[in-house]
Amino acid sequence: MNSVHDMGGMHGMGPIQYEKDEPVFHSRWEALSFALNMATRAGRKWNIDSGRHEIELIPAADYLRMSYYEKWIARLEKLLIKSGLVTESEIETGKPAPGSPKAIPAVTADQVPRMLRTGALASRDSQMAPRFQIGQRVRARNINPTGHTRLPRYARGKIGAVHLVHGVYVFPDTNAQFLGENPQNVYSVRFAARELWGSEASPRDAVYIDMWDDYLEPA
């Protein structure tokens, strides 16, 4: 994203507020938000990448104002409406429309531990040969997509070296828009901190970023 949603490396956001012994949920409504998102995802009307992209569609001012789980609720409302599971009127009133269908079978409590434990695997069993090898110098492509991407803005155009080859995974950029999984090799690429942040960065520091084939080109 080329917007406030890609916050990596941005200045002016203030210090990170560390909360000692932070609970998993601060309020019951946060737990309900998490539960609703998990339960509705079981219907397979969307995927994790389209869900992330929906958060990136939240207007910038609202995105900066909202807490973490407020964004989850806003995302869920839009996904439910777009997928035809509910109407805007049902969201506003909290009441089902007359004759609206019910999901069968419903998600039951005994299914939840397995859902949380396994999730939806993004890895794919493929013999696709990697385009890049460990130790090879690569450049992150300087692209400016309008949809979802996992390529951080601060790394675009920068040079790093392949540290690991993870294997083949679903490509989030196309998966988010339901244009196909387009599986590709994923690499852990090491970028020197000075390559990313300039001469004021520590010469000892580095950032490791997981990057798909389509994000990279030979350096």
Side-chain angles (χ1 to χ4, degrees):
M1 296 293 293
N2 294 313
S3 65
V4 71
H5 309 85
D6 184 357
M7 302 182 75
M10 291 180 64
H11 298 279
M13 297 299 171
I16 295 174
Q17 300 297 327
Y18 173 72
E19 183 177 348
K20 187 178 181 180
D21 301 321
E22 182 179 7
V24 176
F25 302 109
H26 291 83
S27 304
R28 185 171 182 270
W29 72 265
E30 292 185 340
L32 290 173
S33 169
F34 179 83
L36 285 169
N37 272 270
M38 294 297 102
T40 51
R41 215 172 83 188
R44 301 183 182 276
K45 294 289 187 179
W46 55 83
N47 56 59
I48 189 171
D49 298 310
S50 60
R52 285 169 172 160
H53 182 49
E54 199 63 47
I55 287 181
E56 294 162 349
L57 295 177
I58 296 174
D62 293 332
Y63 183 85
L64 293 174
R65 169 183 60 79
M66 289 176 170
S67 68
Y68 183 78
Y69 282 108
E70 283 182 298
K71 295 169 187 173
W72 275 46
I73 291 174
R75 179 257 308 272
L76 181 59
E77 289 180 354
K78 295 297 184 183
L79 288 172
L80 289 171
I81 293 170
K82 287 182 177 181
S83 63
L85 292 177
V86 301
T87 65
E88 290 191 35
S89 176
E90 289 175 315
I91 290 288
E92 292 172 0
T93 64
K95 298 178 180 179
S100 59
K102 295 182 179 180
I104 300 174
V107 175
T108 57
D110 62 300
Q111 294 175 303
V112 173
R114 179 179 56 81
M115 289 172 57
L116 294 177
R117 184 172 60 252
T118 60
L121 292 177
S123 59
R124 293 295 178 264
D125 185 14
S126 172
Q127 301 303 312
M128 183 185 303
R131 291 175 53 205
F132 306 100
Q133 307 302 317
I134 292 176
Q136 182 176 351
R137 281 166 50 88
V138 291
R139 179 184 289 105
R141 295 176 60 205
N142 189 10
I143 57 177
N144 296 280
T146 57
H148 178 66
T149 185
R150 305 295 285 176
L151 174 57
R153 183 169 47 192
Y154 65 80
R156 296 173 194 173
K158 305 298 184 178
I159 294 176
V162 175
H163 176 68
L164 289 173
V165 181
H166 290 304
V168 177
Y169 288 78
V170 172
F171 187 48
D173 300 41
T174 54
N175 197 44
Q177 301 183 63
F178 304 101
L179 298 176
E181 291 189 345
N182 190 16
Q184 304 176 16
N185 275 285
V186 178
Y187 312 84
S188 174
V189 180
R190 181 188 186 277
F191 293 89
R194 287 192 168 182
E195 171 70 11
L196 298 176
W197 317 121
S199 59
E200 293 185 0
S202 169
R204 297 176 300 173
D205 293 345
V207 178
Y208 293 78
I209 306 175
D210 288 340
M211 312 189 85
W212 279 255
D213 271 319
D214 278 7
Y215 295 166
L216 297 171
E217 58 191 13

